[in-house]
């Protein structure tokens, strides 16, 4: 490891070599074998272009578009392109945000602040809506009405309509849902919301840049965009199927009046008057320039071709699941997600066996009536590798069958059965991590951990994973040869005396820093 603040500066070449060295431990972002987190079009030269564009605008500050008109021009160009792709017209406006979560928080904020008199504003979502809506409700103190989905995993328009109350400021649904990749019945929900005069947000963070192209290719998908009356806002992440580097999403509103309460303005302090359309105030132009470069380089025809490759990959993967004994499709593979469940095979062991064969998938825990599933986000890069998936899936299922469910130490299972979120302490997390073999920072065999989390009630799962992330996120100790930091104050500070800081307990494994 390296020292972030060395006593003397380090030459550029060495630093870049160190950073490249660090990246070796990461999952592969290219190669068509990673089915979550990254979106890869497998286009030669695109990374270099995006990097160069990012560098040009990295130090430009989005705080004030009058100071940096380049950024305003790029943002307006991106919003215009998104509006046209998603059925907007000359009234459509939008904002550039840092990601899908920020877009959704702002959609909820705009809706909440459009009804300032309400004591308890409410948000209606289907149970498959992205967790970021819950985060938005939590941050913004908006009450959440979660409506169960039907057996087809889609929002139920009748149940959604019935959940709308006089205090509902926003109804939302997905096109498609992240977990299963199915499109909610947008038109029916939009009609119900419009009838009550309530805003309706379509979360197309995931699918907004691929569904229009899949539809052009003939996929049987319902309209989901501003062409549907009653849709008042749409979010689309450019760092997903627009294949831009991380840090860019767009929140579109049908008209300017709908957007206005999204802004935060404040003149009541001695500094500059702050007018923020989004959550961040200072923000880099880098991701925005990289997104512009990516869109312009791929172009509309390029996105159509990438969607065709994605569609082909989805059909190859789905066929592999259909024809492999021990797994089944859990959701119809109608967009760019393949979601599978297992039968007679431990799903989490199967995920490990796939990983051992170079396929990095995303296990999803059981939820209400839904079993645990494996999620595959399919991107254009997978077209080149999809044919190799079937044989590896068969082999992985056989291996998972042979090895049986993950071994969980008996005393861990017993402890977990009586555990409540309040009992989760840093010491307990350290002991659990050691017991499950996570202390050394090796996350390749996760079946035992996932099985344990899968049977934990959601609140306990949240507490355990929060504790574990907090365990990982420890300041790196100084390395030999570097002067130690200033000694902490002897007492009186509520921070330095806390066991999470400074000294480690004996049960705590070394953080991933070493
Ligand atoms: C990814 C995603 C989000 C959240 O986006 P981030 O960019 O991860 O913040 C929200 N909704 C859906 C449907 C998504 O797929």
């Amino acid at each position: 490891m390296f020292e972030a603040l060395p006593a003397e500066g380090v030459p550029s070449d060495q630093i870049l070599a160190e950073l490249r060295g660090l990246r070796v431990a990461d999952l592969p972002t290219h190669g068509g074998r990673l089915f979550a987190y990254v979106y890869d079009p497998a286009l030669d030269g695109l990374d270099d272009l995006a990097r160069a564009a990012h560098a040009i605008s990295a130090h430009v500050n989005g705080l004030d578009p009058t100071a940096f008109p380049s950024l305003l021009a790029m943002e307006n160009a991106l919003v215009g392109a998104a509006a046209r792709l998603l059925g907007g017209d000359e009234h459509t406006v939008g904002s550039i945000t840092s990601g899908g979560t920020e877009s959704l928080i702002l959609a909820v904020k705009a809706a909440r602040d459009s009804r300032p008199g309400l004591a308890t504003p409410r948000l209606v979502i289907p149970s498959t809506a992205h967790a970021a809506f819950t985060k938005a409700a939590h941050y913004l103190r908006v009450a959440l009405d979660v409506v169960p989905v039907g057996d087809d995993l889609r929002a139920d328009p009748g149940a959604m309509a019935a959940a709308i109350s006089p205090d509902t400021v926003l109804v939302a649904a997905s096109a498609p849902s992240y977990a299963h990749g199915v499109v909610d019945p947008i038109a029916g929900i939009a009609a119900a919301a419009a009838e009550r005069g309530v805003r309706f947000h379509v979360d197309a963070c995931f699918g907004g840049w691929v569904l229009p192209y899949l539809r052009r290719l003939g996929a049987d998908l319902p309209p989901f965009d501003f062409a549907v009356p009653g849709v008042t806002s749409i979010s689309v992440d450019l760092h997903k199927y627009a294949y831009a580097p991380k840090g860019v999403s767009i929140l579109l509103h049908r008209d300017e009046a709908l957007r206005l309460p999204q802004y935060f303005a404040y003149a009541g302090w001695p500094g500059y008057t702050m007018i923020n359309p989004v959550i961040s105030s200072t923000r880099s132009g880098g991701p925005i320039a990289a997104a512009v470069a990516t869109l312009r380089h791929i172009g509309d025809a390029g996105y159509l071709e990438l969607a065709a490759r994605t569609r082909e990959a989805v059909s190859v993967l789905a066929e592999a699941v259909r024809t492999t004994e021990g797994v089944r499709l859990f959701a119809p593979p109608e967009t760019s997600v393949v979601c599978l469940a297992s039968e007679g095979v431990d799903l989490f062991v199967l995920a490990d066996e796939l990983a051992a064969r170079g396929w990095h998938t995303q296990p999803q825990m059981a939820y209400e009536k839904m079993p645990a599933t494996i999620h595959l986000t399919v991107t254009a890069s997978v077209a080149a590798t999809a044919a190799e998936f079937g044989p590896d899936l068969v082999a992985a299922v056989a291996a998972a069958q042979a090895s049986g469910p993950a071994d969980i130490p008996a005393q861990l299972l017993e402890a977990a059965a009586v555990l409540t979120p309040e009992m989760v302490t840093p010491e307990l997390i350290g002991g659990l991590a050691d017991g499950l073999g996570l202390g050394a920072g090796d996350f390749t065999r996760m079946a035992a951990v996932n099985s344990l989390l899968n049977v934990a009630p959601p609140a306990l799962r949240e507490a355990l994973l929060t504790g574990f992330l907090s365990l990982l996120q420890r300041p790196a100790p100084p390395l030999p040869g570097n002067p130690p930091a200033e000694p902490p104050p002897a007492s009186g500070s509520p921070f330095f005396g806390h066991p999470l800081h400074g000294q480690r307990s004996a049960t705590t494994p070394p953080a991933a820093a070493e």
Side-chain angles (χ1 to χ4, degrees):
M1 264 308 293
F2 58 85
E3 173 63 52
L5 182 62
E8 303 288 342
V10 171
S12 316
D13 287 353
Q14 181 187 336
I15 296 166
L16 295 178
E18 286 165 352
L19 294 180
R20 287 192 195 97
L22 269 184
R23 290 275 288 101
V24 169
D26 294 346
L27 291 176
T29 56
H30 291 293
R33 286 170 163 266
L34 174 54
F35 292 110
Y37 310 116
V38 301
Y39 295 73
D40 177 17
L43 293 177
D44 282 346
L46 189 67
D47 278 4
D48 290 335
L49 171 67
R51 247 193 298 277
H54 191 291
I56 290 172
S57 296
H59 290 288
V60 169
N61 189 346
L63 174 66
D64 182 352
T66 66
F68 302 105
S70 69
L71 203 51
L72 183 64
M74 289 190 290
E75 291 199 344
N76 286 343
L78 289 175
V79 170
R84 287 185 283 280
L85 186 67
L86 295 169
D89 60 20
E90 71 277 14
H91 301 293
T92 312
V93 295
S95 301
I96 304 288
T97 73
S98 64
T101 300
E102 187 178 355
S103 290
L104 297 185
I105 291 174
L106 289 171
V108 176
K109 183 215 181 285
R112 184 197 68 174
D113 289 357
S114 71
R115 307 264 306 274
L118 286 181
T120 307
R122 309 191 73 88
L123 165 63
V124 174
I125 55 168
S127 56
T128 50
H130 196 279
F133 282 111
T134 309
K135 181 172 172 177
H138 179 77
Y139 278 19
L140 297 167
R141 292 179 185 265
V142 168
L144 204 53
D145 294 308
V146 180
V147 180
V149 294
D151 289 338
D152 59 359
L153 305 171
R154 291 173 216 276
D156 172 347
M160 296 281 289
I164 299 175
S165 73
D167 291 349
T168 303
V169 296
L170 184 69
V171 175
S174 317
S177 62
Y178 177 81
H180 308 125
V182 300
V183 182
D184 285 329
I186 298 301
I189 303 167
E195 196 186 319
R196 306 283 290 270
V198 176
R199 292 176 179 230
F200 176 43
H201 181 81
V202 173
D203 178 6
C205 284
F206 184 80
W209 219 267
V210 69
L211 291 192
Y213 294 102
L214 292 176
R215 294 185 77 213
R216 266 199 237 167
L217 291 165
D220 182 20
L221 294 167
F224 67 96
D225 60 17
F226 285 120
V228 180
V231 171
T232 55
S233 58
I234 304 178
S235 50
V236 54
D237 292 351
L238 299 189
H239 60 213
K240 289 180 179 163
Y241 284 95
Y243 296 113
K246 299 294 174 226
V248 187
S249 171
I250 299 180
L251 173 59
L252 297 171
H253 293 273
R254 188 179 279 281
D255 62 45
E256 197 172 357
L258 288 162
R259 182 178 64 176
L260 209 53
Q262 175 195 313
Y263 283 50
F264 177 82
Y266 193 65
W269 73 307
Y272 56 90
T273 297
M274 199 166 81
I275 312 290
N276 290 155
V278 297
I279 295 177
S280 290
S281 196
T282 284
R283 54 205 173 89
S284 169
I288 293 161
V292 167
T294 303
L295 261 65
R296 279 187 55 71
H297 191 61
I298 295 176
D300 191 61
Y303 283 113
L304 189 65
E305 169 63 26
L306 292 172
R309 280 184 216 165
T310 303
R311 196 176 183 214
E312 176 198 316
V314 165
S315 83
V316 172
L317 298 176
E319 191 55 20
V321 174
R322 272 191 207 101
T323 55
T324 302
E325 199 119 356
V327 289
R328 66 184 168 92
L329 285 174
F330 183 68
E334 64 187 29
T335 58
S336 55
V337 171
V338 175
C339 181
L340 57 123
S342 66
E343 281 165 337
V345 182
D346 187 288
L347 184 96
F348 301 117
V349 176
L350 173 61
D352 281 355
E353 291 296 339
L354 284 168
R357 287 161 181 78
W359 303 96
H360 304 284
T361 65
Q362 191 165 50
Q364 302 181 135
M365 305 286 154
Y367 170 78
E368 293 187 341
K369 285 180 291 182
M370 299 172 194
T373 52
I374 286 176
H375 166 108
L376 311 179
T377 287
V378 183
T379 59
S381 64
V382 181
T385 57
E388 299 159 29
F389 182 75
D392 279 345
L393 179 62
V394 171
V397 168
Q401 248 147 7
S403 68
D407 268 337
I408 306 177
Q411 74 269 39
L412 270 191
L413 269 182
E414 283 163 31
V418 297
L419 213 54
T420 61
E422 299 71 41
M423 292 157 70
V424 176
T425 59
E427 291 69 31
L428 181 131
I429 292 288
L432 266 180
D434 282 345
L436 290 163
L438 296 174
D442 176 5
F443 306 130
T444 49
R445 289 275 162 184
M446 294 298 283
V449 176
N450 284 330
S451 303
L452 210 58
L453 292 172
N454 190 47
V455 296
L460 178 59
R461 197 189 302 158
E462 289 158 9
L464 290 170
L465 287 174
T466 300
F468 184 60
L469 189 60
S470 181
L471 177 74
L472 293 178
Q473 297 187 312
R474 299 292 175 88
L479 292 186
N482 285 288
E486 286 287 301
S491 66
S493 161
F495 297 110
F496 286 99
H498 192 279
L500 273 174
H501 292 261
Q503 73 275 27
R504 292 181 174 170
S505 75
T507 55
T508 306
E514 273 91 330

